[in-house]
Amino acid sequence: MRRGSIVQLVGIAIVAAVIASLVAIFVDWLPTPASEEAKRIHFVYWFATVICIGVFSVVASVMAYSILKFRAGPDDDSDGPPIHGHTKLEIVWTAIPAVLVTAISIVSAIVLAQNSKAGSDPLVVKVTAVQFAWKFTYPNGKSFGFLTLPKGRHVKLDITANDVIHSFWSPELSQKQDAVPGEHNTLVVTPTRLGTFPVICTELCGLGHSLMRSHVTIVEPAAFDAFLKRGGQSAGPPGLAVFQQYGCGSCHTFKAASATGTIGPDLDQLKQQAARANRGPLDAFIEESIVKPDAYVEPNFQDLMPHSFGTQIPPDQLKQLVQYLGGSAQ
Ligand code: CUA
């Protein structure tokens, strides 16, 4: 090959590498990690990305060079030169990808092994997925519809499901884990950053799959201890605790609970909705809407609310929740 051709090839490869690197660096592809595990996973992403940029540059330069240099003229109908296999070239293009793929799998295996280490005294939180909500149960037996975790401590999520296969994912914590009925999968999380981040179901599990969302809040260890000491209850009327425990705020707006969900009807408008529904007194309407959500579906909304709250929420808690939502709580 002539020296000029090699210079041209290398020149195109450098341009391709620069363009690909700019796209990799300046587009915000990944959320800022909020756990040690997420940082390691991001390292794997970058490791694979750098390899991909290298491969892309070589392929792009050879392609661009060939298109420009070996283009047939407008009236050229002749056959190209007969070419047979090139053993050396085939060995090279088999060996290099094999080495690269092996390198990625070794790095991934090391990271997965490190990410599964929970230390000797992890906080164990049971995660139960149902169509279409999350339940997080703490060692003191209290359950919530959202997750609260202390910064800096190893947390072991013990993940299962009650009905179909779901999958737990918080993008800031990076790693996904399936929730399978009858099985207990674990996911180790060591939070490094304060804040509230989304929790998403990432396995198609039915009509309400896209709505199966919750959140994880990472707090200082002292605030977490206080949270557990209160029995995990937030201060406020008992109905508020029930509202939070069952994750109502992830779908509904309710000012008193600082909830801003928009998937279900606005609960600040309950009186107007009860009037439209015309199904008896306000509290009876609210209770029916919780335990039998398809009895009346507010216009412009779908029958997406879980039908399981009637069996999930104990009667005394249900009463507290109804009174709280209806404004008749003392
Ligand atoms: Cu649960 Cu998708």
Side-chain angles (χ1 to χ4, degrees):
M1 208 173 183
R2 281 183 299 110
R3 200 159 158 263
S5 312
I6 293 175
V7 169
Q8 279 174 324
L9 264 176
V10 172
I12 301 171
I14 290 172
V15 171
V18 168
I19 293 171
S21 303
L22 291 177
V23 171
I25 294 166
F26 286 104
V27 178
D28 215 0
W29 298 105
L30 299 170
T32 311
S35 71
E36 284 173 17
E37 292 76 13
K39 283 181 195 164
R40 291 191 200 110
I41 287 177
H42 284 198
F43 171 77
V44 180
Y45 274 116
W46 281 112
F47 184 79
T49 301
V50 168
I51 290 175
C52 290
I53 289 173
V55 172
F56 172 76
S57 320
V58 172
V59 173
S61 73
V62 173
M63 250 174 68
Y65 182 85
S66 306
I67 290 168
L68 295 171
K69 284 279 164 175
F70 304 124
R71 195 186 175 88
D75 300 321
D76 182 1
D77 292 333
S78 63
D79 290 338
I83 296 173
H84 289 281
H86 190 298
T87 311
K88 266 189 204 151
L89 203 54
E90 284 177 22
I91 290 173
V92 169
W93 77 43
T94 307
I96 293 177
V99 169
L100 295 178
V101 171
T102 308
I104 293 174
S105 49
I106 290 173
V107 169
S108 306
I110 293 172
V111 164
L112 278 177
Q114 283 181 330
N115 276 8
S116 61
K117 283 187 190 145
S120 55
D121 181 33
L123 166 73
V124 178
V125 181
K126 289 192 179 120
V127 180
T128 312
V130 294
Q131 287 172 314
F132 300 98
W134 295 99
K135 189 169 87 172
F136 304 99
T137 308
Y138 286 82
N140 64 6
K142 295 280 177 186
S143 298
F144 301 87
F146 54 87
L147 186 57
T148 304
L149 296 179
K151 188 181 157 190
R153 181 163 173 200
H154 291 309
V155 180
K156 197 168 165 183
L157 301 177
D158 173 0
I159 303 171
T160 190
N162 280 354
D163 37 35
V164 299
I165 300 175
H166 306 264
S167 184
F168 175 94
W169 183 41
S170 175
E172 279 79 0
L173 306 178
S174 224
Q175 207 169 332
K176 298 175 178 177
Q177 184 59 277
D178 277 355
V180 183
E183 303 229 355
H184 289 264
N185 293 333
T186 56
L187 185 62
V188 176
V189 175
T190 313
T192 53
R193 194 157 68 87
L194 300 180
T196 296
F197 312 109
V199 167
I200 297 164
C201 178
T202 176
E203 181 80 56
L204 184 60
C205 57
L207 199 58
H209 160 67
S210 63
L211 309 174
M212 192 169 159
R213 285 163 169 259
S214 177
H215 58 266
V216 50
T217 302
I218 294 163
V219 297
E220 292 289 0
F224 182 76
D225 291 344
F227 164 81
L228 276 192
K229 256 199 205 100
R230 287 197 307 268
Q233 308 273 345
S234 51
L240 172 61
V242 182
F243 185 90
Q244 292 175 336
Q245 176 174 343
Y246 292 96
C248 309
S250 47
C251 290
H252 295 283
T253 290
F254 193 54
K255 285 205 191 80
S258 310
T260 55
T262 54
I263 290 155
D266 181 347
L267 301 180
D268 290 312
Q269 310 285 324
L270 271 171
K271 285 204 178 90
Q272 293 89 316
Q273 290 153 10
R276 263 196 294 279
N278 193 19
R279 297 183 70 86
L282 182 60
D283 278 9
F285 167 68
I286 295 172
E287 182 171 336
E288 183 184 58
S289 301
I290 296 169
V291 304
K292 206 171 172 297
D294 55 340
Y296 167 78
V297 178
E298 178 70 4
N300 304 322
F301 289 92
Q302 283 174 290
D303 176 23
L304 288 174
M305 180 153 149
H307 290 193
S308 54
F309 286 127
T311 47
Q312 233 183 320
I313 309 178
D316 54 329
Q317 282 197 325
L318 180 62
K319 199 173 163 208
Q320 289 168 348
L321 181 59
V322 169
Q323 289 178 343
Y324 174 64
L325 292 173
S328 57
Q330 291 82 33

